[in-house]
């Protein structure tokens, strides 16, 4: 059901520092920071040949990654995003199998203007999973 790995999201306490590390130490192509107020994050996209890395930094007072950074003050992997062809079919199959979809279970428009859903980390080896309709 899942297809390509779309991105790995890493929450970082210092966005400029993490961006410089990916650009200057690892030699990756990085974007300018992009504010995404609807998602409570500022994102820098790291373009790899086969996937993206997204450096996430809290934006605003009630950012969804603030708690994660409080528990992981030096940052850490926040979620993995897999592509699916049909997000509603994927959701229904997962729900039928007993997996938990976060929120109200309806896809939201994600960081790439495509429908996304998040799956409960306790159901998937302790990893928050985002599904994106490719
Ligand atoms: Co994501």
């Amino acid at each position: 059901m899942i297809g390509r790995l779309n991105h790995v999201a890493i929450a970082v306490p210092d966005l400029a520092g993490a961006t410089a590390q990916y650009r200057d130490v690892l030699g990756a192509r990085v974007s300018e920071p992009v504010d995404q107020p609807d998602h409570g994050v500022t994102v820098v996209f790291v373009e790899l040949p086969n996937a993206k890395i997204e450096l996430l930094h809290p934006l605003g007072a009630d950012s969804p990654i603030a708690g994660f950074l409080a528990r992981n003050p030096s940052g850490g992997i926040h979620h993995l995003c897999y592509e699916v062809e049909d997000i509603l079919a994927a959701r229904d199959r997962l729900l039928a199998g007993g997996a938990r979809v976060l929120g109200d279970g309806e896809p939201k428009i994600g960081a790439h203007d495509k429908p996304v859903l998040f799956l409960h980390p306790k159901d998937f080896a302790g990893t928050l999973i985002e599904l994106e309709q490719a």
Side-chain angles (χ1 to χ4, degrees):
M1 180 175 70
I2 60 170
R4 286 165 31 98
L5 174 67
N6 184 279
H7 62 271
V8 177
I10 304 176
V12 298
D14 173 3
L15 188 57
T19 302
Q21 203 169 43
Y22 268 84
R23 184 187 56 225
D24 303 334
V25 179
L26 295 174
R29 198 147 49 96
V30 303
S31 76
E32 292 298 316
V34 179
D35 287 344
Q36 299 190 328
D38 290 352
H39 298 283
V41 291
T42 302
V43 186
V44 167
F45 298 95
V46 180
E47 297 285 346
L48 304 181
N50 59 342
K52 290 183 284 290
I53 306 295
E54 296 184 0
L55 305 176
L56 305 180
H57 189 71
L59 174 67
D62 48 357
S63 171
I65 64 166
F68 181 90
L69 277 174
R71 294 189 301 278
N72 302 273
S74 52
I77 294 177
H78 183 263
H79 65 267
L80 304 179
C81 178
Y82 301 120
E83 297 178 358
V84 293
E85 278 182 24
D86 181 337
I87 200 159
L88 294 175
R91 176 197 64 187
D92 293 345
R93 174 172 159 173
L94 286 158
L95 289 173
R100 288 169 285 181
V101 174
L102 299 188
D104 64 6
E106 294 305 317
K108 301 267 187 299
I109 297 303
H112 313 121
D113 295 323
K114 292 179 176 170
V116 302
L117 284 173
F118 285 90
L119 308 177
H120 201 297
K122 289 202 170 130
D123 296 336
F124 293 98
T127 307
L128 178 60
I129 291 178
E130 179 179 19
L131 298 179
E132 180 177 292
Q133 184 163 292

